[in-house]
Structure formats: structure tokens, C-alpha cells
Amino acid sequence: QLGSPSALADAVTERRLREAAARGGHTLYVPRGALWGCEDIARMDSAGTLQALKVTMTKAPGSFRAQGWLQERLLAAVAGGRRTLLYEGPLRPLCPLVPNNVNTMAAAALAAPRLGFDGVTARLVADPSLPDWHIVDVEVTAVAEGGRALTVTSSRRNPAGPGDVTGSATRHSFWSSVQACTGHGGCVKLC
């Protein structure tokens, strides 16, 4: 089992692990973390009906472990003391900047391989008014039919200690993932 889905944002690592799983007939289990609707997203992606997927994570600034240029933006947000959009764009370049914070987003990219790390839109928001909550909003948009498209939005509010990287429900989610790891031979499987 892979503990951090954001590690697969590195295209070479993802390719090597997928090839090893297929070659050896073993399954690489990847925990879905706080991603609600994982199976629905995967079904839509498989059917070719998934048009867009956006995941927004909102936490207190002290809950982010930012690196590189994002660290400077986070420090400015802390100094400003107000809700700040830290990042919006493709998921892949965000993962190495906050690998401890975006595992749910990475799980979404794995659930939707047609979009993948380059097609899933990631939004990271620092909000000092949420010292003990982590909020994950998932917006799914289907391919339009007759000019209209199905959209689904979910919002998960996870209690978290001030400054915690993950919410308190995370360990239960991870344990549930571990318990689902059986009998899928030769693939990458969200659990």
C-alpha cells in the first residue's frame, strides 16, 4: 500500500509503479483519504462522461506545510490575516509544493485517470477563520448533453487540531483503506 498518493504526481514514479504492478500481477493500493464520491468519479471517468473535476482544500494557514514559492505566498497570507487563494491550477505542479496536504486531490486524479494530475483542477485556500477544520470541496462536471451537464458538489468538513496537517477523521479513513486491500491483482486500486 502506498501511503501518500501525491507521490504519484511524479510521472516517472507513477509509470514505474503501474508497470511493476501489472508485470508482477500485484496490486498497488492507494488510500482515497478524504475523497468522497471516489467510485462515482471513477465510473464517470471510465465511461468517458467526466468533463471536469475540481478539488478545493481550505484550511487554516498553520495547517499547510508549503515549500518553494508557495511557502512565500503562505507567509504573505498569514501576515494578511484573511482568507487567501494560495493556488488554482493543474494538480501536478502543486503536489511537490505541499505533498503532506494534497493527498485527497491526488486520489481524485487517480480516480479520474483520463484527467489525471494535469487535468484535475486544484484549489488551495488558507483561511484563518477555520483554526480547527479542514474543508474539502469536490466539484464534478459531466460531459454536456443537449447543452446541459450534470454537476455534483460535495463538501467535507473534517475536524482538526490547530496546525494539524490532517483532520481527525483521517486515521479512520486510512484504516478503512487498509482493510479493503485484498484480491485485485495487477493494478493500481484506490481503497
Side-chain angles (χ1 to χ4, degrees), residues 104-151:
T104 298
M105 293 177 174
L110 294 171
R114 291 177 190 225
L115 294 175
F117 285 91
D118 297 309
V120 169
T121 300
R123 294 183 77 239
L124 216 56
V125 178
D127 188 342
S129 74
L130 299 170
D132 52 2
W133 290 97
H134 295 172
I135 300 173
V136 178
D137 296 311
V138 179
E139 299 175 45
V140 178
T141 305
V143 173
E145 294 181 22
R148 299 183 308 165
L150 166 78
T151 60

Side-chain angles (χ1 to χ4, degrees), residues 32-51:
R32 74 182 77 194
L35 181 62
W36 281 81
C38 178
E39 290 84 4
D40 297 309
I41 292 167
R43 280 192 289 268
M44 288 177 71
D45 184 79
S46 179
T49 61
L50 181 63
Q51 177 68 38

Side-chain angles (χ1 to χ4, degrees), residues 127-185:
D127 188 342
S129 74
L130 299 170
D132 52 2
W133 290 97
H134 295 172
I135 300 173
V136 178
D137 296 311
V138 179
E139 299 175 45
V140 178
T141 305
V143 173
E145 294 181 22
R148 299 183 308 165
L150 166 78
T151 60
V152 178
T153 303
S154 67
S155 185
R156 180 178 196 251
R157 293 180 55 90
N158 191 357
D164 286 355
V165 172
T166 59
S168 61
T170 302
R171 72 175 174 270
H172 301 296
S173 174
F174 190 82
W175 179 243
S176 294
S177 292
V178 169
Q179 291 176 317
C181 296
T182 58
H184 298 94

